[in-house]
Amino acid sequence: GREPVVWIDKFCIDQNDINSDLRCLPVFLHMCDKLVILCGQTYLSRLWCVVELFTFFHMGSKADKIEVIPLLRHSQRNEDLSGMRNAFASFDARQCQCFDPKDKEKMLAIIHTAYGGTETFSIAVNDILTQVSARYTYRRQCCRSDLSALDRSEER
């Protein structure tokens, strides 16, 4: 086999020329065997994150190739988990933000061209989130940074 390869969007996408790399995003994500999401309460409010999740799935990957690792504050674990569950259950692309408003305009234009609007895109993302969240139940994982992992064992 080969050594694992890690592609981290923030480091691998040229932040000074996002337009060029945005066009290549499907290629970058298609080459990934798995998508690991370090998910806090704000994950689904960031349009870049949602577009990457959607693109990974749209390029032919399945829910079993997406691993969600919740980022929880030690003193507010239950509140954070509840917020994340609510975010997964009520995703709406119109509520997403980008650090740079120009990025949001560009990405929304792409979404409108491909899906006819944010409502259709939101429905597609909600379907992905339903498939991903159905695979997991929450469990505590002890580690120094107090991350919790989503357990793959179903409650079925």
Side-chain angles (χ1 to χ4, degrees), residues 32-37 53 56-68 127-136 150-154 156:
C32 296
D33 295 327
K34 183 189 330 184
L35 179 66
V36 177
I37 298 171
L53 167 66
F56 182 76
F57 200 81
H58 189 69
M59 293 302 298
S61 291
K62 304 292 183 215
D64 66 343
K65 299 293 184 184
I66 299 171
E67 182 176 345
V68 179
D127 183 51
I128 295 167
L129 294 172
T130 298
Q131 290 180 52
V132 170
S133 63
R135 296 181 46 244
Y136 294 100
L150 292 170
D151 188 0
R152 291 177 189 245
S153 61
E154 294 291 326
R156 298 180 199 159

Side-chain angles (χ1 to χ4, degrees), residues 10-154:
K10 184 72 173 177
F11 303 115
C12 296
I13 292 178
D14 183 352
Q15 300 299 301
N16 296 316
D17 188 15
I18 290 176
N19 286 335
S20 296
D21 285 345
L22 181 59
R23 287 189 295 260
C24 296
L25 186 63
V27 175
F28 297 152
L29 291 170
H30 182 67
M31 299 304 295
C32 296
D33 295 327
K34 183 189 330 184
L35 179 66
V36 177
I37 298 171
L38 302 177
C39 186
Q41 285 193 51
T42 64
Y43 177 79
L44 291 175
S45 69
R46 297 188 309 260
L47 190 55
W48 264 110
C49 296
V50 173
V51 167
E52 288 174 1
L53 167 66
F54 177 80
T55 302
F56 182 76
F57 200 81
H58 189 69
M59 293 302 298
S61 291
K62 304 292 183 215
D64 66 343
K65 299 293 184 184
I66 299 171
E67 182 176 345
V68 179
I69 300 173
L71 301 177
L72 308 173
R73 297 170 291 180
H74 180 67
S75 62
Q76 297 173 326
R77 299 178 70 75
N78 291 336
E79 179 184 324
D80 289 351
L81 282 173
S82 178
M84 288 172 54
R85 286 183 187 121
N86 289 339
F88 268 61
S90 63
F91 173 76
D92 182 349
R94 294 172 295 189
Q95 304 302 316
C96 290
Q97 299 299 320
C98 288
F99 180 76
D100 184 344
K102 292 177 188 174
D103 286 350
K104 183 174 181 177
E105 289 175 27
K106 291 173 197 167
M107 292 171 67
L108 288 177
I110 292 168
I111 289 169
H112 281 280
T113 300
Y115 293 94
T118 55
E119 187 173 325
T120 308
F121 178 76
S122 292
I123 291 168
V125 171
N126 274 307
D127 183 51
I128 295 167
L129 294 172
T130 298
Q131 290 180 52
V132 170
S133 63
R135 296 181 46 244
Y136 294 100
T137 57
Y138 294 98
R139 72 173 166 91
R140 181 178 175 120
Q141 175 189 18
C142 297
C143 66
R144 280 185 37 208
S145 61
D146 197 31
L147 294 178
S148 287
L150 292 170
D151 188 0
R152 291 177 189 245
S153 61
E154 294 291 326

